[in-house]
Amino acid sequence: MSPSFRSLRDLMEVTEEAAAVPPPSPTPSSGDSEKELEASSGKEVELADSLIHLQQKEERTTPIEEQLLETLKKEIESTEKLEKPKKMVRVQSYEEIVDNASVAHIPLKSYASVGTSFEKFELNSIYSAIKLNNAENTAMMEEAWETLQKSYVYYKGRPVGTLAAMDPTAEALNYNQVFVRDFVPSGLACLMRPASAGGDPEIVKNFLLKTLHLQGWEKRIDNFTLGEGVMPASFKVLYDSHRQKETLVADFGGSAIGRVAPVDSGFWWIILLRSYTKCTHDYTLSEMPEVQKGMKLILNLCLSDGFDTFPTLLCADGCSMIDRRMGIYGYPIEIQALFYFALRCSRQMLKPERDGKELIKRIDKRITALSYHIQNYYWLDFTQLNNIYRYKTEEYSHTAVNKFNVIPESIPDWVFDFMPLRGGYLIGNVSPARMDFRWFLVGNCIAILSSLVTPAQATAIMDLIEERWEDLIGEMPLKIVYPALEGHDWRTVTGFDPKNTRWSYHNGGTWPALIWLLTAACIKTGRPQIAKRAIELMEQRLSKDGWPEYYDGKAGRYVGKQARKYQTWSISGYLVAKLMIENPANLLIISLEEDKRISKPKFTRSISF
Ligand code: GLC
């Protein structure tokens, strides 16, 4: 039986031990030599052959893991800074390898964390995946690409972003704008798609430059001016027929419901800039003085000294994807994870010239403090829950165990049932006397992608997703938050919000757009089968339902009450997930390896480790 790989690093160690079979050689190609290209395609067949040989003899790894192994080995070996590579490595797709293999030989991986029922499911899902109606899937992909292209927004003849939705039956409101966060999966899809198939990094570059230009505007809400670095939530192109000119109109929160500025936009901008650079190797963009300045302005907003006693970022409710009142004020995990991700991305791109050096020092300090804080105080698993349950309160001075004076009676009943023996997650929020125990998907996946959590914690998050599949995935991926607020909690926390009723929209609703984040996290932790299973569920309905923005209900069975159809990030999120499953090397465009300079806290507490 093949061992269970807890992480890619484990996978690498195990595979390195399996030296009985010579490791498959990577397929380097300089990209400019046709000869080398030919030679490398020949080697791919060899690689596939040796991989299959390895599986048959050793049954140690799946082809997808082997590819990642090779690719990530390279990634880990490379230095922290985004180095200009001398050679490009082409990693063949999973499909290519499978084409060379007899389907019956695909080894099945069992996970230590799952019981027999899941293993049975794995068997069924893999065989049904093999039998999947490929034609139908191809048609779905084609429809997705076509619709994505139709959503392009042009400014002075150039594509600069994608519309949030193109639902002809619903009032546009602000869905006819380019949202920064919504554009991320669209941009990634354009980056990951091979150039021969229509990949288009140009739109990403234009988007990054246009939004940078908007950052330079003076941002005023009533009589108050926002910080210089704030990035818009969204923008649109207006045609001034009088002046016969196109103009851009941006929203920095001034028109948003609740008038909250989007804290996530600037972070996503930095993350996408790093993805663009990583994918295209075009360093001229990130090195432009105005781009360097844009990064610094965003970071200065978050790194300024103040009254904070925590390294986390204090936020107002509704400042991210969940842009309505939902009790995420304080130190929400989504923002903390994005903050960490953006800090690490900018660390790779900032030039140490002039004030750069000083800023880099501050970034390093914050990265260390933030990861310590999150890994320690946001982490919840069975053992830690039991610790909190037995906490003493009113402890004074630095020797306190219960540092934030959390009263155990405030632990909601549902957590005790929800918490499996195996697995764990980062909770939603930590502040004085307050732990928000809700599960938030974005924060947890971003924490995996940015290596904010340790590899052991990343594995435990995946264990939790498997163990609580019905709750977190159900019939359609993916729950944005679990559980929903109901009754009195809903009234007091959301302020009677009729759009965020229980199991709807941001309050326990299901968001297909998030599939790319789950898929990336699954591949990174060496568990692609989890993503495949979720994608299969999605493929049964998403296109037939008209690519809705969200689904309602505990199992995510119903198309959301006010959901837009042809929601762009539902489309591009699906495309990015498929592009990563087909070619796991695409993960590297959006993922960061562990920062080895950060000293790790010693975890002894959980059986999931
Ligand atoms: C809604 C969502 C927000 C998204 C926007 C555009 O406001 O809450 O996350 O960015 O729609 O799709």
Side-chain angles (χ1 to χ4, degrees):
M1 197 170 86
S2 60
S4 158
F5 298 113
R6 316 294 304 164
S7 69
L8 273 165
R9 201 173 286 280
D10 284 5
L11 165 68
M12 286 171 61
E13 277 159 18
V14 172
T15 314
E16 269 157 12
E17 279 166 28
V21 179
S25 52
T27 54
S29 84
S30 63
D32 52 14
S33 148
E34 278 186 19
K35 252 192 195 158
E36 274 187 54
L37 263 178
E38 269 170 35
S40 76
S41 60
K43 271 192 199 137
E44 279 173 8
V45 179
E46 266 174 52
L47 170 61
D49 284 343
S50 63
L51 285 173
I52 295 155
H53 183 63
L54 181 71
Q55 286 153 19
Q56 286 169 348
K57 291 269 184 216
E58 305 280 321
E59 290 213 350
R60 279 179 186 268
T61 53
T62 62
I64 207 161
E65 288 161 347
E66 281 290 349
Q67 286 176 59
L68 266 171
L69 172 70
E70 283 304 320
T71 321
L72 285 188
K73 247 189 192 170
K74 292 227 145 37
E75 175 73 357
I76 289 163
E77 280 161 12
S78 74
T79 53
E80 242 311 288
K81 192 183 179 310
L82 274 176
E83 271 190 2
K84 300 178 188 188
K86 288 170 198 78
K87 285 195 170 184
M88 274 168 56
V89 175
R90 206 189 139 211
V91 178
Q92 62 188 137
S93 75
Y94 179 61
E95 247 53 76
E96 276 175 293
I97 299 175
V98 168
D99 280 345
N100 288 308
S102 146
V103 158
H105 289 307
I106 293 178
L108 300 175
K109 184 169 67 171
S110 68
Y111 301 118
S113 60
V114 278
T116 36
S117 57
F118 191 85
E119 279 172 19
K120 241 190 255 155
F121 172 85
E122 287 264 283
L123 262 172
N124 292 339
S125 97
I126 289 175
Y127 287 123
S128 69
I130 290 162
K131 280 190 257 140
L132 249 184
N133 186 338
N134 274 337
E136 208 171 285
N137 276 344
T138 312
M140 187 164 163
M141 290 281 280
E142 273 166 15
E143 185 200 354
W145 282 120
E146 239 169 67
T147 322
L148 179 63
Q149 253 143 25
K150 280 190 198 145
S151 76
Y152 278 22
V153 170
Y154 291 85
Y155 180 67
K156 296 187 177 159
R158 291 182 170 182
V160 291
T162 48
L163 293 171
M166 292 187 301
D167 187 342
T169 63
E171 203 191 332
L173 299 178
N174 55 353
Y175 284 87
N176 60 2
Q177 305 209 7
V178 180
F179 277 74
V180 171
R181 73 177 71 87
D182 294 41
F183 181 73
V184 173
S186 300
L188 290 174
C190 296
L191 289 176
M192 289 178 186
R193 193 182 199 189
S196 55
D200 182 15
E202 199 54 32
I203 187 175
V204 180
K205 184 176 182 176
N206 297 340
F207 166 87
L208 289 165
L209 286 171
K210 270 301 143 243
T211 39
L212 179 72
H213 170 72
L214 297 172
Q215 185 197 36
W217 286 13
E218 198 203 4
K219 291 145 267 198
R220 194 179 276 274
I221 297 183
D222 292 339
N223 296 317
F224 188 68
T225 314
L226 274 72
E228 240 191 304
V230 175
M231 281 285 188
S234 61
F235 68 88
K236 64 178 167 189
V237 179
L238 277 187
Y239 184 67
D240 181 343
S241 52
H242 198 62
R243 284 157 49 201
Q244 296 201 332
K245 231 179 120 187
E246 281 177 339
T247 49
L248 289 175
V249 180
D251 177 23
F252 295 88
S255 312
I257 290 168
R259 300 288 181 269
V260 183
V263 179
D264 62 340
S265 285
F267 297 149
W268 279 123
W269 184 85
I270 291 175
I271 294 163
L272 191 62
L273 174 65
R274 184 253 171 197
S275 293
Y276 170 85
T277 314
K278 179 91 185 163
C279 175
T280 59
H281 303 134
D282 168 13
Y283 296 86
T284 55
L285 182 65
S286 68
E287 286 175 1
M288 277 163 68
E290 52 268 50
V291 173
Q292 290 279 318
K293 185 176 169 211
M295 255 190 289
K296 285 179 191 166
L297 287 176
I298 296 169
L299 297 170
N300 279 334
L301 277 178
C302 319
L303 295 172
S304 57
D305 295 329
F307 290 97
D308 309 294
T309 47
F310 309 142
T312 36
L313 209 60
L314 185 58
C315 301
D317 218 343
C319 65
S320 62
M321 175 182 176
I322 297 177
D323 53 4
R324 300 167 75 92
R325 188 175 159 194
M326 261 295 288
I328 58 154
Y329 61 91
Y331 305 89
I333 186 60
E334 171 171 345
I335 292 296
Q336 313 314 323
L338 284 170
F339 179 29
Y340 179 83
F341 202 175
L343 284 176
R344 290 205 52 208
C345 289
S346 30
R347 181 71 181 75
Q348 294 184 351
M349 297 183 292
L350 273 177
K351 299 212 281 187
E353 284 150 19
R354 271 173 267 131
D355 52 339
K357 238 187 201 150
E358 197 43 47
L359 185 60
I360 289 173
K361 255 194 219 157
R362 280 159 68 203
I363 292 175
D364 282 344
K365 275 194 187 159
R366 196 60 172 260
I367 284 176
T368 309
L370 191 56
S371 72
Y372 179 85
H373 187 90
I374 300 286
Q375 288 177 5
N376 275 292
Y377 305 129
Y378 280 65
W379 184 251
L380 192 76
D381 57 17
F382 177 74
T383 311
Q384 179 61 359
L385 179 58
N386 209 155
N387 292 343
I388 300 170
Y389 174 66
R390 289 163 51 80
Y391 264 170
K392 290 187 183 58
T393 57
E394 313 300 322
E395 293 173 296
Y396 184 71
S397 98
H398 62 272
T399 53
V401 175
N402 180 4
K403 291 204 171 66
F404 308 110
N405 199 36
V406 175
I407 318 292
E409 282 66 29
S410 70
I411 306 174
D413 289 343
W414 65 264
V415 190
F416 294 105
D417 298 330
F418 178 70
M419 182 58 75
L421 285 178
R422 209 170 175 81
Y425 64 103
L426 297 174
I427 62 170
N429 216 312
V430 176
S431 60
R434 177 179 175 227
M435 288 179 103
D436 179 348
F437 290 92
R438 282 175 293 172
W439 151 270
F440 289 85
L441 182 109
V442 177
N444 276 275
C445 286
I446 294 288
I448 293 176
L449 290 186
S450 60
S451 292
L452 169 59
V453 284
T454 64
Q457 288 176 327
T459 298
I461 293 171
M462 285 297 142
D463 289 343
L464 180 105
I465 292 175
E466 280 181 351
E467 296 276 327
R468 292 292 172 256
W469 186 267
E470 292 305 320
D471 294 325
L472 304 180
I473 314 269
E475 296 179 22
M476 173 62 77
L478 285 152
K479 278 267 160 6
I480 187 170
V481 48
Y482 180 90
L485 298 166
E486 308 191 37
H488 182 67
D489 283 346
W490 168 76
R491 288 192 287 274
T492 52
V493 177
T494 73
F496 291 71
D497 188 344
K499 197 164 179 187
N500 273 339
T501 51
R502 63 180 182 163
W503 307 114
S504 180
Y505 203 46
H506 301 138
N507 186 11
T510 288
W511 290 70
L514 304 179
I515 191 70
W516 76 270
L517 278 171
L518 177 79
T519 305
C522 288
I523 296 175
K524 181 154 186 198
T525 48
R527 315 272 281 267
Q529 295 298 352
I530 298 180
K532 286 186 157 197
R533 185 183 172 195
I535 293 170
E536 272 171 52
L537 273 177
M538 188 169 265
E539 283 175 334
Q540 286 167 27
R541 285 193 56 184
L542 193 63
S543 152
K544 290 186 191 110
D545 289 341
W547 308 90
E549 178 187 16
Y550 66 97
Y551 286 79
D552 284 353
K554 219 169 172 177
R557 183 177 299 167
Y558 301 95
V559 173
K561 205 173 207 165
Q562 296 186 43
R564 306 282 137 159
K565 297 284 183 79
Y566 298 97
Q567 179 81 17
T568 305
W569 65 354
S570 298
I571 296 165
S572 56
Y574 167 72
L575 285 172
V576 175
K578 292 289 276 188
L579 288 164
M580 282 189 289
I581 282 291
E582 280 166 11
N583 183 5
N586 276 329
L587 171 72
L588 302 177
I589 296 175
I590 190 64
S591 159
L592 292 177
E593 271 313 304
E594 251 192 302
D595 186 338
K596 294 190 202 82
R597 290 166 308 179
I598 300 173
S599 54
K600 281 174 216 80
K602 306 264 174 296
F603 283 105
T604 45
R605 48 171 100 109
S606 171
I607 50 165
S608 50
F609 289 167

